[in-house]
Amino acid sequence: MASVNSLASTLQQQLADALTAALPDAGTADPLLRRSDRADFQANGILALAKKLKGNPRELAAQVTGALPASDLIKDIEVSGPGFLNITLSDKAIIETLAARAADDEGRLGVPYNSAAGTTVIDYAQPNVAKEMHVGHLRSAVIGDAMVQILEFTGESVVRRHHIGDWGTQFGMLIQYLVEHPDELNHEGDQAADGEAAMSSLNRLYKASRALFDSDEEFKDRSRNRVVALQAGDPETLAMWQRFVDESKIYFYSVFDKLDMEINDPDIVGESGYNDMLEETCRILEETGVAVRSEGALCVFFDDVKGPDGNPTPLIVKKTNGGYGYAATDLSAVRDRVQNLKASTLLYVVDVRQSLHFRMVFETARRAGWLNDGVTTHQLAFGTVLGKDGKPFKTREGVTVRLEDLLDEAVERATAVVREKAEKIGLSEEEIVENGRYVGIGAVKYADLSTSAVRDYKFDLDQMVSLHGDTSVYLQYAYARIRSILRKAGDAKPAAHPELELAPAERALGLHLDQFGEVLSEVAAGYEPHKLAAYLYQLASLYTTFYDQCQVLSDENPTEVVENRLFLCDLTARTLHRGMALLGIRTPERL
């Protein structure tokens, strides 16, 4: 199915052609088209053009309107003020364009693929081995997963990378304890552990090994020797380390399953995945002069990065004791992603507090030649999850909230909301439980994604599962309501009728439906999923107005009016379903 040009892009092209025809001396001119309260669109570009050509803007505007081709696109065009063009599209053009979108049998709603698509490696959802996931891990996972869906939909080739924390000195302590207590991670019988049991074992082992490390100097020495053995690739030590990784994955996967996110083994390439590259990375940086020795450490300096004392703050690639810093791993990952994965874009969904680190890493990689003009880097930086009090989200005891607890509570609250309405529509207990999960997880994701990533946001479950306001539940109910109407329609079927005159609410809904592809293009280019959330909320709001003002199923309406309104209902439902799926949110058929 061919992609469908939006009404705005068709109008933009016609105006640009008319500008060139009326004003050959103007060269390539932008009509500066935008949506307007006074008409469907307003073109403001003639004013600037008139100044440039020293002409009368209203006369130039009249010449441009005279040069527009006769077509079904424009119903009315008027010159306003100092040469603005107010343009109203024909109802026929709106419905015909939407009909072309509805006819797309690939389920893309006529949205074109990005002609300049490349390969993006996206680094997101980075939990730590042998550590519990908490509320701080939520945003990277949710935002990253949404961007994967959106980028793939636009035609980008996406390589997922979960850069888990699976290396470092803390493993010496853990592995040594496991060597001395080999049954600590055993599963009872032949049963595979579930996520909670796996994390419980890891927590118990961590606390016991930490207590011993802090109280027993001989164990502390054995643990430090174990770090050396790990880094040297000792087979027994690596086998023990692998047990921690495998046990942690059982836990990770259970949390991601609750989040309704797909995570695959090949996508997990943690810090350990770059061990073999670290020495070469440091050697190249030193030999090329990008990094220099300073007080025994291998460092990269920057003119514009200074500490509070005014002295330069370097990026430390190799520490004085010979150990590698995070920078060595991150730089090796850049090399791997560009040279082996052939990335044209590196996208990192990482906390805003790491912005300086990544700015320094990217600049170092450019100096070393690992990043060239053909590769762009972007940190999709995100803010903090706050409690209702506006402070970082903690339990009453001041402990960071466990991610699983938070998700379980969201599902519990949502299930109660679903249950309240379940009897009226005859939902089974199985449907209540399933929908409760979809509504609860959707509520958590949408609250995150509807906020600009770089901003902090308040985690307020009462608000998140509300049926009113800008929430995913509001959007899910809008979708379910439409599906209910389509089921009740009986013999009446959705069908586009371009010959009909549209009511104001029908036109507003139709024009918004047509913008879906343009919004997705903007969201993908700027890595701004909150703009898709805003579009979908406005779509649901416009549908509510349409539903209130334009009776859909009425014996008093002519058949073609009923069919046309069912057509608008159906396309709205399909757009909501597709848009929500791109945010990682399910849309139940009945709510």
Side-chain angles (χ1 to χ4, degrees):
M1 173 74 196
S3 61
V4 179
N5 288 330
S6 70
L7 292 159
S9 64
T10 304
L11 179 59
Q12 168 88 10
Q13 190 59 56
Q14 287 195 11
L15 285 169
D17 291 345
L19 274 168
T20 305
L23 309 163
D25 298 339
T28 307
D30 185 351
L32 297 179
L33 192 68
R34 62 178 181 82
R35 291 298 304 274
S36 169
D37 294 335
R38 301 188 177 191
D40 294 334
F41 292 93
Q42 188 174 77
N44 300 336
I46 291 169
L47 195 59
L49 206 55
K51 283 183 182 172
K52 183 178 165 187
L53 299 176
K54 298 185 171 52
N56 181 312
R58 285 185 67 88
E59 287 177 11
L60 285 180
Q63 284 178 265
V64 172
T65 57
L68 280 167
S71 76
D72 290 335
L73 180 66
I74 297 171
K75 177 185 176 184
D76 184 51
I77 185 165
E78 63 166 15
V79 179
S80 167
F84 299 141
L85 294 180
N86 287 330
I87 302 156
T88 302
L89 301 183
S90 73
D91 294 346
K92 183 172 187 275
I94 293 172
I95 294 298
E96 282 182 342
T97 300
L98 295 183
R101 295 198 177 287
D104 182 350
D105 53 11
E106 292 180 12
R108 295 185 56 80
L109 304 170
V111 176
Y113 287 101
N114 177 10
S115 58
T119 297
T120 293
V121 176
I122 176 167
D123 189 322
Y124 71 108
Q126 310 102 346
N128 295 308
V129 164
K131 287 188 181 174
E132 213 154 11
M133 291 176 73
H134 55 76
V135 68
H137 291 109
L138 179 66
R139 300 208 73 186
S140 179
V142 169
I143 296 167
D145 186 56
M147 283 314 310
V148 167
Q149 310 302 327
I150 291 163
L151 288 169
E152 285 187 335
F153 186 76
T154 62
E156 189 78 1
S157 175
V158 178
V159 181
R160 302 159 169 83
R161 278 292 174 265
H162 305 294
H163 190 88
I164 64 172
D166 65 352
W167 203 251
T169 54
Q170 76 275 17
F171 283 98
M173 174 185 84
L174 293 167
I175 293 168
Q176 188 58 35
Y177 189 86
L178 190 59
V179 168
E180 296 173 17
H181 303 81
D183 297 333
E184 280 295 307
L185 287 182
N186 288 356
H187 300 158
E188 287 186 23
D190 293 327
Q191 294 267 316
D194 63 18
E196 202 158 320
M199 196 63 241
S200 176
S201 298
L202 290 165
N203 269 338
R204 188 177 63 249
L205 196 151
Y206 181 85
K207 286 173 183 171
S209 63
R210 168 53 71 182
L212 198 57
F213 188 85
D214 291 340
S215 63
D216 185 332
E217 285 299 319
E218 290 183 2
F219 177 76
K220 187 180 283 189
D221 287 341
R222 292 198 298 276
S223 296
R224 286 173 175 158
N225 290 336
R226 189 60 68 176
V227 175
V228 175
L230 177 65
Q231 292 176 339
D234 170 61
E236 183 202 19
T237 304
L238 280 175
M240 289 291 188
W241 167 82
Q242 190 64 49
R243 288 186 68 188
F244 281 101
V245 174
D246 292 343
E247 197 75 7
S248 297
K249 281 183 180 178
I250 296 169
Y251 165 68
F252 294 158
Y253 288 163
S254 75
V255 177
F256 289 127
D257 186 56
K258 276 188 181 178
L259 268 171
D260 201 11
M261 276 175 51
E262 186 185 340
I263 300 277
N264 296 308
D265 251 19
D267 306 332
I268 297 178
V269 183
E271 294 166 350
S272 63
Y274 305 99
N275 283 344
D276 294 346
M277 299 176 69
L278 299 180
E279 188 53 48
E280 187 182 35
T281 295
C282 293
R283 180 179 59 74
I284 294 169
L285 289 173
E286 190 166 14
E287 285 178 1
T288 54
V290 173
V292 294
R293 294 279 169 181
S294 176
E295 297 175 25
L298 187 62
C299 304
V300 182
F301 288 91
F302 307 85
D303 293 340
D304 59 344
V305 182
K306 294 183 169 62
D309 56 3
N311 291 325
T313 301
L315 182 70
I316 299 173
V317 185
K318 197 171 188 180
K319 301 171 190 172
T320 307
N321 66 3
Y324 299 101
Y326 286 122
T329 307
D330 286 330
L331 286 163
S332 298
V334 168
R335 287 176 59 207
D336 175 61
R337 292 167 186 185
V338 174
Q339 294 166 6
N340 298 329
L341 300 178
K342 308 301 181 192
S344 50
T345 302
L346 300 179
L347 179 61
Y348 292 76
V349 188
V350 185
D351 192 313
V352 70
R353 288 170 293 192
Q354 295 189 46
S355 295
L356 177 61
H357 169 78
F358 278 99
R359 182 158 68 86
M360 293 161 82
V361 165
F362 297 155
E363 173 59 25
T364 300
R366 290 214 177 275
R367 291 181 190 176
W370 300 325
L371 289 174
N372 54 39
D373 292 344
V375 184
T376 58
T377 56
H378 185 84
Q379 183 196 353
L380 206 176
F382 56 82
T384 305
V385 181
L386 307 175
K388 288 185 189 179
D389 57 3
K391 295 175 182 172
F393 199 16
K394 308 266 185 180
T395 64
R396 285 179 185 168
E397 295 74 40
V399 180
T400 305
V401 178
R402 293 172 70 231
L403 183 52
E404 275 194 293
D405 291 344
L406 181 144
L407 298 177
D408 288 344
E409 189 181 352
V411 170
E412 194 180 310
R413 295 275 194 98
T415 305
V417 170
V418 172
R419 195 177 293 281
E420 276 177 33
K421 293 187 175 271
E423 199 174 324
K424 193 192 293 183
I425 57 172
L427 289 183
S428 67
E429 182 60 26
E430 190 180 349
E431 286 175 306
I432 291 170
V433 170
E434 184 179 78
N435 287 356
R437 182 181 173 216
Y438 293 159
V439 170
I441 298 304
V444 170
K445 288 183 176 182
Y446 187 84
D448 190 318
L449 295 168
S450 59
T451 306
S452 173
V454 77
R455 289 175 53 200
D456 300 341
Y457 81 95
K458 288 184 183 178
F459 194 94
D460 181 350
L461 271 178
D462 293 329
Q463 173 57 33
M464 287 179 187
V465 298
S466 169
L467 301 176
H468 309 289
D470 189 2
T471 65
S472 72
V473 197
Y474 175 69
L475 300 180
Q476 287 167 323
Y477 265 103
Y479 175 79
R481 180 201 279 175
I482 299 170
R483 298 299 300 158
S484 172
I485 290 167
L486 293 169
R487 284 192 297 271
K488 285 177 189 167
D491 293 337
K493 294 286 180 265
H497 286 276
E499 74 280 4
L500 291 177
E501 189 175 322
L502 297 177
E506 291 176 301
R507 295 186 96 261
L509 179 61
L511 286 167
H512 193 70
L513 282 167
D514 186 55
Q515 288 181 287
F516 183 55
E518 290 175 345
V519 169
L520 282 181
S521 176
E522 187 181 344
V523 167
Y527 308 116
E528 298 172 303
H530 70 279
K531 289 186 175 177
L532 175 55
Y535 169 86
L536 295 171
Y537 173 62
Q538 194 179 354
L539 177 59
S541 302
L542 287 166
Y543 178 79
T544 300
T545 304
F546 157 78
Y547 182 77
D548 290 343
Q549 295 181 6
C550 304
Q551 199 162 12
V552 178
L553 299 176
S554 170
D555 294 338
E556 295 173 16
N557 285 339
T559 303
E560 58 269 23
V561 170
V562 174
E563 290 178 344
N564 201 59
R565 287 179 178 173
L566 284 172
F567 164 73
L568 287 170
C569 287
D570 182 56
L571 190 57
T572 300
R574 288 166 62 185
T575 306
L576 278 171
H577 176 75
R578 171 58 71 191
M580 293 287 270
L582 292 175
L583 295 178
I585 299 172
R586 306 262 186 168
T587 41
E589 294 292 301
R590 301 200 309 154
L591 262 182

